[in-house]
Amino acid sequence: MAQKNEISGDVGQIVMGDSNVGPSLSIVINLNLNNDGEKLLTKVQRDDITKKVKELSAVSDLTALDIYRELLNKFDTDKMDNSPRSKFNEACEYIDKKYAECIDDDLQADTAKIEAPVQIKEIP
């Protein structure tokens, strides 16, 4: 015969029987709610961006975190994982442009350091 239980107050879950069974019955559902319907960056694309960011960080005075902040602000997203695929080429071009600027600055600094050769005149 079923036993009647009287419940009062806020009750989130009532366990009937063995309470060890509950955790094994849990179901995890991941929802990706992207309003635009755009596909997100793939792992390979994120790895390419990471590689370019490391290269830029090595030749510039910017840290990788600073570069990622610039990318997130420029492409108006909260995480790189949530960046749309359509922005991948723009992000790569942006990083390559910054990389070229840093290389040009280094070359100009190096050429400024090189002095013109000193010519020694013969003593009569």
Side-chain angles (χ1 to χ4, degrees):
M1 186 164 165
Q3 182 179 354
K4 290 187 177 181
N5 294 329
E6 191 171 320
I7 301 169
S8 63
D10 293 332
V11 177
Q13 179 180 3
I14 300 175
V15 178
M16 303 295 274
D18 190 4
S19 63
N20 294 330
V21 176
S24 66
L25 298 176
S26 66
I27 298 173
V28 176
I29 298 174
N30 293 325
L31 298 176
N32 185 5
L33 303 175
N34 193 358
N35 295 337
D36 298 338
E38 289 185 291
K39 293 184 178 183
L40 302 178
L41 290 175
T42 63
K43 182 179 182 337
V44 174
Q45 289 172 326
R46 286 192 312 267
D47 290 345
D48 285 346
I49 289 175
T50 302
K51 180 181 170 188
K52 288 179 181 285
V53 166
K54 286 180 181 178
E55 290 173 358
L56 176 58
S57 178
V59 298
S60 69
D61 58 349
L62 297 171
T63 64
L65 186 60
D66 292 335
I67 298 167
Y68 280 120
R69 281 186 188 134
E70 287 180 20
L71 287 173
L72 293 176
N73 288 333
K74 183 167 177 60
F75 299 112
D76 194 30
T77 186
D78 57 346
K79 288 174 48 179
M80 288 304 293
D81 292 341
N82 295 338
S83 297
R85 283 187 198 173
S86 61
K87 301 289 185 182
F88 172 71
N89 289 333
E90 294 176 39
C92 288
E93 289 171 3
Y94 178 76
I95 295 171
D96 290 340
K97 180 182 166 190
K98 296 283 273 183
Y99 184 83
E101 289 173 0
C102 290
I103 294 296
D104 288 343
D105 290 344
D106 288 345
L107 287 175
Q108 289 176 358
D110 289 344
T111 55
K113 290 179 184 176
I114 298 174
E115 297 177 9
V118 178
Q119 295 184 3
I120 300 174
K121 295 182 180 179
E122 292 183 21
I123 300 175

